[in-house]
Amino acid sequence: MRDRRRRCFKLSGMSMRPNPLLGDPTRSRVVIATYPDYLQAQRAVDYLSDHKFPVERTAIVGEGLKIVEQVTGRLDWTRALSLGMGQGAVTGIFIGLVFSFLGFGSERSFLALLIDGLLLGIIIGAVWGLLSYALSGGRRDFTSIGGMRADHYSVMADSEVAEQARDLIAGMPR
């Protein structure tokens, strides 16, 4: 099976190297501790690092993932206008900064480029915000912030070093 998989990877031009962000799927990892929130799991790995444990052999795995969308308010014409203007202002200031650092408009002052960028950004942002709201046709009349949340977080370690990690975490102050 492994040879066949290797041939498939070779034929498709893909590498057999594991993604360093996801870890090596052939590695045998075991759970050494479970925590209700990410900060506690992070604290445990930091504790292992402080005690010279090879933390590159660990992983924090969120389990029971949920997508959560917190509704932050109603969206109407006024809010669409103000959100568009705010986003446009930030973008405009950024573009003004970039232009001034690159030397565009060298006859103009730094402040003048920032103000021009700000004003142009506000105008374009306002138009974009109103146009986007109008084109939505009332299908999404609210604003929200989305994210992913896990029920719990498991700290895992390679099986060869798992016992050492468990012993270290057992001595971790609460």
Side-chain angles (χ1 to χ4, degrees):
M1 175 77 169
R2 192 171 200 179
D3 290 334
R4 193 168 92 196
R5 190 173 75 196
R6 187 166 288 164
R7 265 187 278 126
C8 290
F9 275 108
K10 196 179 253 184
L11 290 175
S12 67
M14 297 176 87
S15 166
M16 281 296 289
R17 289 177 296 193
N19 181 339
L21 297 176
L22 300 176
D24 185 352
T26 61
R27 219 182 236 182
S28 173
R29 287 201 170 141
V30 293
V31 175
I32 57 171
T34 302
Y35 299 96
D37 61 56
Y38 179 77
L39 289 177
Q40 289 179 356
Q42 184 181 6
R43 184 174 160 259
V45 174
D46 187 49
Y47 182 81
L48 290 173
S49 178
D50 292 345
H51 288 83
K52 308 299 183 233
F53 182 82
V55 290
E56 63 276 0
R57 299 189 72 181
T58 63
I60 299 174
V61 179
E63 298 185 62
L65 294 178
K66 299 176 198 162
I67 295 175
V68 179
E69 184 175 10
Q70 179 62 49
V71 176
T72 58
R74 182 178 310 280
L75 186 62
D76 57 10
W77 289 102
T78 307
R79 186 136 165 98
L81 175 67
S82 64
L83 288 172
M85 288 172 69
Q87 291 171 347
V90 171
T91 304
I93 288 174
F94 176 73
I95 290 172
L97 281 171
V98 169
F99 277 20
S100 64
F101 287 136
L102 293 177
F104 292 106
S106 56
E107 68 279 351
R108 304 199 59 197
S109 73
F110 174 76
L111 187 60
L113 279 174
L114 284 182
I115 291 172
D116 288 349
L118 173 69
L119 294 176
L120 190 60
I122 288 173
I123 292 167
I124 292 172
V127 170
W128 186 259
L130 291 174
L131 186 63
S132 297
Y133 182 69
L135 292 176
S136 74
R139 283 186 301 273
R140 189 174 164 97
D141 288 342
F142 62 91
T143 57
S144 64
I145 298 172
M148 213 175 276
R149 185 175 297 158
D151 288 333
H152 61 276
Y153 296 86
S154 296
V155 176
M156 301 181 82
D158 291 353
S159 56
E160 300 87 25
V161 294
E163 199 57 44
Q164 179 190 0
R166 275 194 195 102
D167 292 343
L168 282 170
I169 286 180
M172 187 169 87
R174 299 284 163 192

